[in-house]
């Protein structure tokens, strides 16, 4: 009897184990099947996307996009499009100074899947890069001799009536830490103003800034391609040297204008002008007259026989008065007082020059205006010439020397102060040229420092 019971129990256990094994195998098979289905679904979706992209090749609503990979020694463009295979993309560039860049002159052929690519050497000057559809014998009939058959947000008028260009643009900032990637995106324009192109002109603009540029974001009823811009001016009306910029009106009447600056001062303003005498585009002159004689509205000014449009944009600056040769820049709530190293120190020294004390006395007057417990940083920086460790120590010693003088000579003890040396790790200009190295050798006093984002905002093109 005992033997029979043991056998029965043993048999039941074996049946349960077999059942568990069967269930486990079933669950494993089910998970494998699910994984296979998910993989097949993803592959199917990729194939559908690829088929859709291929079916759009040659569509007259042209699309140019992709990304630019910016490195110290090279720049790569990986492009996507719905252009006909065999189409040509022409590249070019214009530096911040307005000069054509030979680095970016090249042509790429669109591949069977609509892709294209470029590779260029590294650059030392910030540049706006433009990619244009270029008609050849194979594509001229399809897109039109003057691209007049093409539609979409990347079609722009040109200086010649009836001729168009298809383009994508992006801006390379050489002062930004490399490597980084810039998306090449298709613009999304808004509706044109109802009075677009009317002779009674209006214009409006808002301004913000970072530590290099003033950015003017504007709207107007001026026609596409109209050239606008000007020179930043001090409260006295005197032009602020090297602070100027020009741009053209977008297809929807908006414009983006970037103007470099070094020192913000109270009372500064930016006159944004449209002067027909300095415009040569046929559609612009036909609309407003060669001398602006057709222009009307409150913004219209006269200069002899010429009329022009001028919008005055006032610049909001901190209530500081930095001394000569000392920079003052603003980004959101963060203010930087930038002092070149040769203003404070002799070469390779961390002891303040006698003349430096007058500069720091003037800076201290601004610091004494700050509320108690205002956070500030005193940061030393160098170029990349020499041993990095030596430069790091030198930059720290110089920052400490500046704070030691300020603390001893004025009532700034209520501030929340941090002192740091960064050596050559935080340049504000390219170290490839002497001018950039000179800008990088500096001591900065940063008021209300903000946390640096991991990804820098790409602003532009302008």
């Amino acid at each position: 009897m005992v033997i029979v019971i043991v056998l029965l129990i043993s048999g039941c256990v074996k049946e349960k184990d077999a059942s568990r094994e069967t269930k486990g195998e079933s669950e494993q098979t089910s998970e494998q099947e699910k994984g296979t289905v998910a993989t097949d679904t993803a592959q199917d979706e990729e194939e559908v996307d690829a088929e859709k992209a291929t079916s759009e090749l040659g569509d007259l609503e042209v699309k140019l996009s992709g990304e630019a990979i910016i490195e110290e020694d090279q720049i790569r463009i990986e492009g996507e499009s719905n252009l006909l295979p065999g189409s040509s993309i022409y590249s070019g560039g214009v530096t911040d100074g307005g000069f054509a860049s030979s680095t970016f002159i090249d042509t790429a052929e669109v591949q069977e899947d609509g892709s294209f690519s470029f590779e260029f050497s590294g650059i030392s000057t910030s540049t706006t890069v433009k990619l244009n559809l270029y008609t050849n014998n194979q594509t001229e009939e399809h897109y039109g001799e003057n691209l007049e058959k093409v539609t979409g947000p990347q079609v722009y008028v040109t200086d010649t009536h009836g001729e168009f260009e298809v383009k994508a643009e992006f801006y390379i900032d050489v002062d930004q830490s490399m490597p980084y990637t810039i998306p090449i995106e298709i613009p999304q324009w808004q509706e044109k103003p109802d009075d677009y192109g009317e002779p009674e002109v209006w214009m409006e603009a808002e301004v913000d800034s970072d530590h290099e540029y003033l950015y003017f974001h504007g709207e107007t009823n001026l026609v596409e391609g109209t050239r606008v811009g000007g020179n930043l001016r001090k409260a006295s009306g005197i032009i602020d040297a090297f602070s100027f910029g020009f741009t053209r009106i977008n297809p929807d009447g908006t414009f983006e204008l970037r103007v470099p600056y070094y020192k913000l001062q109270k009372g500064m303003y930016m006159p944004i002008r449209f002067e027909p005498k300095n415009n040569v585009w046929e559609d612009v002159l036909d609309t407003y007259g060669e001398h602006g004689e057709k222009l009307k509205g409150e913004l219209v000014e006269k200069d002899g026989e010429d009329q022009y449009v001028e919008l005055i944009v006032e610049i909001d600056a901190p209530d500081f008065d930095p001394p000569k040769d000392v920079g003052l820049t603003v980004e959101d709530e963060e203010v930087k007082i930038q002092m070149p190293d040769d203003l404070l120190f002799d070469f390779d020294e961390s002891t303040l020059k006698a003349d430096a004390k007058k500069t720091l006395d003037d800076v201290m007057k601004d610091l004494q205006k700050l509320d108690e417990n205002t956070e500030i940083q005193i940061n030393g920086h160098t170029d990349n010439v020499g041993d990095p460790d030596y430069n790091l120590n030198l930059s720290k010693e110089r920052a400490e020397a500046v704070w030691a003088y300020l603390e001893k000579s004025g009532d700034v003890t209520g501030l929340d102060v941090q002192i740091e040396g960064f050596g050559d790790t935080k340049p504000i200009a390219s170290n490839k040229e002497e001018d950039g190295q000179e800008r990088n050798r500096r001591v900065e006093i940063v008021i209300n420092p903000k946390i640096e984002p991991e990804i820098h905002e790409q602003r532009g093109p302008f």
Side-chain angles (χ1 to χ4, degrees):
M1 176 69 81
V2 173
I3 295 172
V4 172
I5 292 172
V6 169
L7 289 173
L8 287 172
I9 293 172
S10 175
C12 290
V13 169
K14 288 180 179 179
E15 287 179 6
K16 287 182 179 179
D17 289 343
S19 175
R20 285 172 183 165
E21 288 176 5
T22 303
K23 183 179 179 182
E25 289 173 358
S26 176
E27 289 176 350
Q28 183 176 1
T29 302
S30 177
E31 290 300 320
Q32 289 175 344
E33 289 175 351
K34 287 180 180 178
T36 302
V37 170
T39 301
D40 291 344
T41 301
Q43 290 176 346
D44 290 343
E45 289 176 351
E46 289 178 1
E47 290 174 1
V48 169
D49 289 341
E51 289 176 3
K52 182 180 178 182
T54 303
S55 68
E56 291 180 350
L57 295 179
D59 195 313
L60 290 177
E61 185 174 337
V62 166
K63 299 175 183 177
L64 290 175
S65 60
E67 63 180 19
I69 300 91
I70 314 301
E71 301 174 349
E72 287 282 353
D73 298 323
Q74 72 170 357
I75 296 164
R76 292 180 291 114
I77 297 175
E78 300 297 336
E80 303 172 356
S81 79
N82 62 349
L83 294 170
L84 284 175
S87 298
S88 297
I89 304 290
Y90 176 81
S91 63
V94 178
T95 67
D96 274 357
F99 300 101
S101 172
S102 59
T103 300
F104 293 98
I105 298 177
D106 200 0
T107 304
E109 183 176 310
V110 176
Q111 302 302 303
E112 290 299 320
D113 61 353
S115 66
F116 60 92
S117 62
F118 290 92
E119 188 170 315
F120 309 103
S121 60
I123 58 174
S124 59
T125 303
S126 296
T127 302
T128 297
V129 178
K130 184 166 70 170
L131 308 177
N132 282 85
L133 168 61
Y134 183 77
T135 56
N136 53 37
N137 293 334
Q138 181 179 345
T139 59
E140 184 176 292
E141 182 177 350
H142 184 75
Y143 295 116
E145 181 180 359
N146 298 311
L147 298 176
E148 67 275 8
K149 297 181 181 179
V150 182
T151 64
Q154 292 177 291
V155 181
Y156 299 82
V157 299
T158 67
D159 58 348
T160 303
H161 178 74
E163 294 185 5
F164 303 89
E165 66 174 347
V166 176
K167 67 179 180 180
E169 285 184 312
F170 62 92
Y171 179 72
I172 301 176
D173 183 358
V174 297
D175 298 333
Q176 185 169 320
S177 180
M178 300 180 189
Y180 65 95
T181 299
I182 303 171
I184 304 173
E185 299 176 318
I186 300 172
Q188 302 294 320
W189 304 122
Q190 61 190 29
E191 292 293 325
K192 291 181 180 180
D194 292 337
D195 57 351
Y196 174 85
E198 292 294 324
E200 185 155 344
V201 171
W202 58 267
M203 190 191 311
E204 54 191 27
E206 296 180 348
V207 60
D208 58 29
S209 65
D210 58 22
H211 292 298
E212 292 183 82
Y213 297 97
L214 296 169
Y215 299 93
F216 298 88
H217 314 282
E219 294 186 28
T220 180
N221 64 342
L222 288 167
V223 297
E224 178 189 353
T226 302
R227 182 176 183 264
V228 296
N231 293 266
L232 184 64
R233 293 179 181 267
K234 301 177 182 179
S236 63
I238 296 175
I239 289 175
D240 191 50
F242 307 112
S243 295
F244 62 89
F246 294 89
T247 189
R248 293 193 182 277
I249 304 301
N250 292 320
D252 60 351
T254 61
F255 64 89
E256 300 289 338
L257 177 63
R258 181 181 59 240
V259 176
Y261 77 105
Y262 179 66
K263 179 191 294 188
L264 277 190
Q265 296 172 281
K266 296 295 288 184
M268 277 187 157
Y269 64 95
M270 178 70 185
I272 302 178
R273 286 189 177 188
F274 157 48
E275 298 179 287
K277 67 178 182 181
N278 293 328
N279 279 256
V280 296
W281 287 35
E282 291 179 0
D283 288 344
V284 174
L285 297 181
D286 182 61
T287 303
Y288 304 112
E290 292 186 7
H291 298 283
E293 62 271 15
K294 299 180 183 180
L295 289 170
K296 299 177 182 178
E298 296 179 355
L299 299 179
V300 176
E301 303 287 346
K302 287 184 175 293
D303 180 17
E305 67 173 350
D306 293 300
Q307 288 196 133
Y308 61 92
V309 174
E310 182 176 74
L311 172 68
I312 301 296
V313 181
E314 296 180 352
I315 311 299
D316 186 19
D319 187 20
F320 292 169
D321 186 21
K324 183 180 179 182
D325 299 325
V326 172
L328 180 71
T329 61
V330 177
E331 183 170 349
D332 298 327
E333 298 301 316
E334 183 180 79
V335 178
K336 285 186 179 181
I337 299 173
Q338 303 188 36
M339 297 172 284
D341 72 327
D342 59 0
L343 200 63
L344 304 177
F345 306 98
D346 288 321
F347 175 74
D348 204 30
E349 295 290 336
S350 59
T351 302
L352 289 170
K353 297 194 299 187
D355 293 345
K357 297 175 181 179
K358 173 65 170 63
T359 298
L360 292 177
D361 286 342
D362 290 339
V363 170
M364 187 159 48
K365 293 175 185 177
D366 288 332
L367 296 180
Q368 289 173 337
K369 300 175 185 177
L370 300 174
D371 295 335
E372 189 173 355
N373 296 322
T374 297
E375 184 179 354
I376 72 168
Q377 295 175 349
I378 301 179
N379 300 328
H381 302 270
T382 69
D383 58 26
N384 67 344
V385 178
D387 179 68
D389 290 336
Y390 180 86
N391 285 339
L392 188 66
N393 290 331
L394 179 64
S395 65
K396 180 69 176 293
E397 291 173 358
R398 287 179 166 181
E400 289 172 340
V402 168
W403 172 241
Y405 180 82
L406 293 173
E407 187 178 31
K408 179 184 70 174
S409 305
D411 184 17
V412 292
T413 54
L415 301 176
D416 180 6
V417 181
Q418 295 180 346
I419 303 165
E420 190 60 80
F422 292 99
D424 64 359
T425 62
K426 292 195 173 185
I428 57 173
S430 171
N431 274 308
K432 293 182 179 180
E433 297 178 355
E434 289 186 10
D435 288 347
Q437 292 173 357
E438 183 178 352
R439 287 184 59 198
N440 290 330
R441 299 190 296 267
R442 69 203 189 277
V443 175
E444 291 179 341
I445 298 177
V446 186
I447 303 166
N448 300 319
K450 63 180 184 178
I451 299 174
E452 294 187 5
E454 293 183 4
I455 300 176
H456 293 270
E457 179 184 2
Q458 173 63 25
R459 308 183 74 156
F462 287 82

